[in-house]
Every structure is written in C-alpha cells, then in structure tokens.
Amino acid sequence: MAQNRRIRPGYTVVYPNRQKASSHVIKWIVVLILLASVGLMLLITLGGWSKLQGLKPVNIIWCILYVLIAIYVARWNRGLLPIAAAMAILLLILAVIAGTGVAGTSWFDRNHVGFAAPQSPFGGKGISPNVLGTLTIILAIVQAALIVFSMWGFTQGWNVETEVPEDEAKQRRGGKSSSGRAEPAAA
C-alpha cells in the first residue's frame, strides 16, 4: 500500500544523495555493466546455441531481468541493486564453472579433435569455442564488477529524502522547477 505523506505547505521533498556526482557516476556504471552483461550473455547463448545443455531459456530470462533492472536503476530504484548483485554472484559462479571446466568440459576444451563446432540457432556456424571461452571469462569479470558497483551504489543512500523549503529546492535544482523547466523571473 502506498504511503500517505503530508508535506508542510511551502516545503518540498528532495533527495540530496541523488544530486551528488558520485551517485550519478555509479548509477550509470551499474546500468552500463548490466547492459554489457546482457550483450555478453546473448553472444554466448546465440554463438554456442547447439552446445548449451539446457540453460537457453534461463539465459534469455536472465537477459530480460537484467534489462528491467537496468531500467529501474536508471530511475534511481536503489532496492534492485542487491538483487542485481545476488544475480551477478550466481552468474559469476556459472561463468567460472563454464570458463574453467570445473564441472567437465570448458569452452576451450571444445576446440580439440572430437568436438563438433557449435551451431547458432539461425542455422549457421556459431562462434568458435576459444572465443566463447574468452567471452565467458570476460562475463565472469563483468559480474564481479557488477557486484562491487551495485553494492557501492546501495551504500550511497539514493532513497534518503529531506523536506526543505521550496526556495531552497529551486536553488538546489539550479533555478529549475520540479518539472525540469526554468522558473520565470520574479517581477
């Protein structure tokens, strides 16, 4: 249920931690890392389609979730940052296992005699196993970065709000109204 809040007349709510340059930088780094993860996952999924053992639907769903999280983080939704970090931990584990071959054959092992080349879902030859292995290792590194930056963003307190007089809020926004348009000069 939505919270019913009363704001004193002449006051407005501001989010001081969202105005910091470091918060903007971390927010956009997290969004870019999420989108880079989606790109890497799609490359690996489509390039090694015939050799993936059953995670194809999971990979597609994971990509969709990462895009949705990126959209919400871009809108300052701090609550999804720990979820992004948790998902990144799971994907990091999977990428390390697939990249190093801990649980069997790695992508790099599939480049030897006796292994068929991966096929794409579009009927052509997929990406070479060495490239898929490299992309998997890069995905693991990107997930480690996502964990770090998501938790860093979470500690910045994007949700902290303060009630301030409307004049002070206008000064904080650089003379812009809450809608983002410039305020008319007072006569």
Side-chain angles (χ1 to χ4, degrees):
M1 185 170 180
Q3 188 176 342
N4 196 0
R5 146 196 299 253
R6 291 179 190 244
I7 300 174
R8 293 182 284 176
Y11 282 77
T12 188
V13 174
V14 297
Y15 298 89
N17 293 337
R18 293 181 187 179
Q19 297 169 350
K20 296 177 183 175
S22 62
S23 295
H24 284 274
V25 169
I26 296 298
K27 175 181 84 163
W28 289 114
I29 287 174
V30 170
V31 169
L32 289 174
I33 291 174
L34 284 164
L35 296 178
S37 299
V38 169
L40 286 167
M41 282 190 286
L42 287 176
L43 276 172
I44 294 168
T45 301
L46 297 176
W49 188 263
S50 65
K51 300 300 175 191
L52 294 177
Q53 289 297 318
L55 287 179
K56 294 174 214 172
V58 173
N59 288 356
I60 302 301
I61 291 169
W62 211 299
C63 289
I64 293 168
L65 289 174
Y66 266 17
V67 168
L68 289 173
I69 291 171
I71 290 169
Y72 281 103
V73 169
R75 295 179 179 175
W76 293 106
N77 189 328
R78 175 181 173 253
L80 287 175
L81 291 173
I83 294 171
M87 289 179 68
I89 290 169
L90 293 173
L91 189 55
L92 172 65
I93 293 168
L94 292 174
V96 167
I97 290 170
T100 61
V102 172
T105 306
S106 75
W107 282 115
F108 297 108
D109 293 337
R110 294 189 172 277
N111 208 19
H112 295 85
V113 177
F115 288 99
Q119 303 294 316
S120 78
F122 308 113
K125 186 177 178 185
I127 298 174
S128 81
N130 282 339
V131 173
L132 287 170
T134 304
L135 290 173
T136 304
I137 298 299
I138 292 170
L139 181 63
I141 294 167
V142 169
Q143 295 315 294
L146 179 58
I147 295 164
V148 170
F149 284 104
S150 292
M151 291 296 89
W152 191 353
F154 189 74
T155 62
Q156 289 180 329
W158 298 349
N159 60 327
V160 174
E161 51 187 39
T162 308
E163 214 174 273
V164 297
E166 289 178 0
D167 294 339
E168 183 181 332
K170 288 177 192 174
Q171 288 175 348
R172 288 183 183 204
R173 289 189 290 265
K176 294 182 179 179
S177 69
S178 59
S179 65
R181 290 184 230 129
E183 288 287 320

